[in-house]
Structures are given as structure tokens and as C-alpha cells.
Amino acid sequence: MAVADTKTKIYQSKIDIRLEDREPLVELINRQLADTFDLYSQAKQAHWNVKGINFFQLHELFDALAASIEPYVDMLAERVTALGGVAMGTVRMAAAQSTLSEYPSNISTGDEHLRVMTDRVAAYAKSTREALRHAGELNDPTTEDLFTEISREVDKNLYFLEAHLN
Ligand SMILES: [Fe+2]
């Protein structure tokens, strides 16, 4: 299904960031918004479906991971709108734009879910670090700071997951 082009509209604003920078910033943040919403739903998927002797600990771990990611969906969407853009924030919009691989439905053990979530969180940590550098190049230290905050949290999440596998 086609999703409206995020370039379609940038609202007028007195914000002291140039329109030429706001346009690519809105695209950048919307891309990360899609990945963030997707990652949140994948952590919930792991939370619901993990089985095995370590069920309860991993059920809780994946829920804590989802809870730590969820606030950034709102923060990123509102950064888009603060820059005059249109937030692309529905589940279908996120699905259409997300760069993350789909979550497998045929896995069950704690080890399998840990490995898939580690892979997804590592990919998200990488794209977040790239996004923060890009925001700096686009002369928006405020967005760069938001991505830096997310990066710090996601690196910690990656460490929590990998600590189970090492
Ligand atoms: Fe739950």
C-alpha cells in the first residue's frame, strides 16, 4: 500500500532552523520513527511468545525493553512536528518504512528470541548513531541530542541482551 510522501508538506514555522535543513531532518526522523515503532512491537512480540525454563525472566526482560523504547516513538513524532513536518506514525506507515527485518513467528526458545532481539536492537543502535551524526550535519543539535539520548539507552539495551549470550 502506498504511503503518503513525507516530503509533501513542511509547515511554516519561526523556528531558527533553515527550511533546506528541516526537509531532510523530517525525512530522517520519520525513518527512525518507523524503526522505533517497529522495534517496540517486536520487543512485545518476544515478550508474548518466549517459552522455556527461563520464561519469566525473559518475559520481563523483553517487556522492560519495549517500555524503554516506547517513549521515543512520541518524542520522535513530536520532533517531526516541531520542525513543521507531518509525523508518519501509524502502524502501517511504520511497517512500510521500517528498515528492520520482520520478526519470525516460528521461534520459541529463550535463546532464539534473545538472538533475534539482539540482532534487531544492534541494527537500531547502528541506525540511531548514523542518524545522530546526520542530524549534526543538518545543523540541528537539538535533534542530534535526542538521537544521542536514544543511542545511550539502546546501547544499554544491547548490553542487557548480549549479557545473556556471552
Ligand atoms: Fe505483558
Side-chain angles (χ1 to χ4, degrees):
M1 179 182 288
V3 168
D5 187 342
T6 58
K7 279 186 188 168
T8 49
K9 184 159 194 174
I10 299 285
Y11 287 91
Q12 292 280 337
S13 172
K14 293 191 191 307
I15 194 168
D16 59 326
I17 297 174
R18 298 181 312 165
L19 182 62
E20 307 91 273
D21 290 329
R22 287 197 281 133
E23 285 171 344
L25 280 163
V26 162
E27 277 189 65
L28 173 70
I29 302 164
N30 266 326
R31 277 201 301 277
Q32 291 306 117
L33 170 61
D35 281 9
T36 307
F37 206 177
D38 192 8
L39 184 67
Y40 165 75
S41 75
Q42 294 204 19
K44 278 293 195 181
Q45 183 73 6
H47 164 70
W48 294 320
N49 289 295
V50 68
K51 309 281 185 207
I53 191 67
N54 295 315
F55 162 77
F56 196 68
Q57 174 312 84
L58 293 175
H59 177 71
E60 296 279 284
L61 175 75
F62 294 137
D63 208 25
L65 174 61
S68 86
I69 293 160
E70 191 271 339
Y72 300 124
V73 173
D74 197 56
M75 288 188 211
L76 289 167
E78 288 177 354
R79 188 65 193 158
V80 166
T81 48
L83 291 168
V86 175
M88 302 297 279
T90 72
V91 173
R92 281 182 284 187
M93 289 169 185
Q97 264 214 97
S98 176
T99 63
L100 300 179
S101 301
E102 178 58 290
Y103 204 86
S105 58
N106 61 345
I107 60 172
S108 64
T109 69
D111 189 69
E112 288 171 321
H113 283 286
L114 279 167
R115 288 181 192 284
V116 170
M117 280 315 304
T118 298
D119 179 69
R120 301 301 184 271
V121 169
Y124 181 71
K126 180 172 188 283
S127 74
T128 301
R129 211 176 322 280
E130 287 165 358
L132 80 86
R133 291 196 193 104
H134 196 185
E137 288 161 9
L138 293 168
N139 308 302
D140 183 357
T142 314
T143 296
E144 184 180 7
D145 179 68
L146 173 55
F147 283 134
T148 302
E149 178 188 334
I150 296 172
S151 177
R152 195 164 49 240
E153 182 70 14
V154 173
D155 284 352
K156 189 186 76 179
N157 289 336
L158 182 59
Y159 146 60
F160 277 22
L161 291 166
E162 286 184 327
H164 292 77
L165 297 168
N166 290 329

